[in-house]
Amino acid sequence: DAAHPHDLSTFLDSRGICIRAGRHCAEPLHARLGQEGGSARASFGLYTTMEEVDALAEGLREARRFFG
């Protein structure tokens, strides 16, 4: 709740981690959930490595400390 999705996306991008931030073509759902600013989404695929998953987890821990 402390960070806007775009701020989180920028924070992770500065660490080489790419996520998507926005309303993801689901504006009515975000409005109903009270998330007018959108959400942040990480996507995993067949070629996603455990190192990339670990980097995302560490990046999210850092973001939590940074944004409080």
Side-chain angles (χ1 to χ4, degrees):
D1 290 334
H4 189 280
H6 291 114
D7 295 333
L8 176 60
S9 177
T10 300
F11 181 88
L12 293 174
D13 182 57
S14 72
R15 285 150 178 78
I17 302 165
C18 184
I19 65 167
R20 177 131 190 260
R23 294 194 184 120
H24 317 289
C25 299
E27 291 87 353
L29 175 61
H30 281 93
R32 182 170 178 104
L33 295 174
Q35 298 294 322
E36 299 293 337
S39 60
R41 178 181 80 197
S43 298
F44 300 90
L46 181 62
Y47 300 105
T48 304
T49 66
M50 285 308 297
E51 290 80 14
E52 291 168 328
V53 174
D54 291 341
L56 173 62
E58 179 57 30
L60 290 172
R61 281 190 290 271
E62 290 177 20
R64 190 170 190 185
R65 286 189 294 270
F66 181 81
F67 290 109

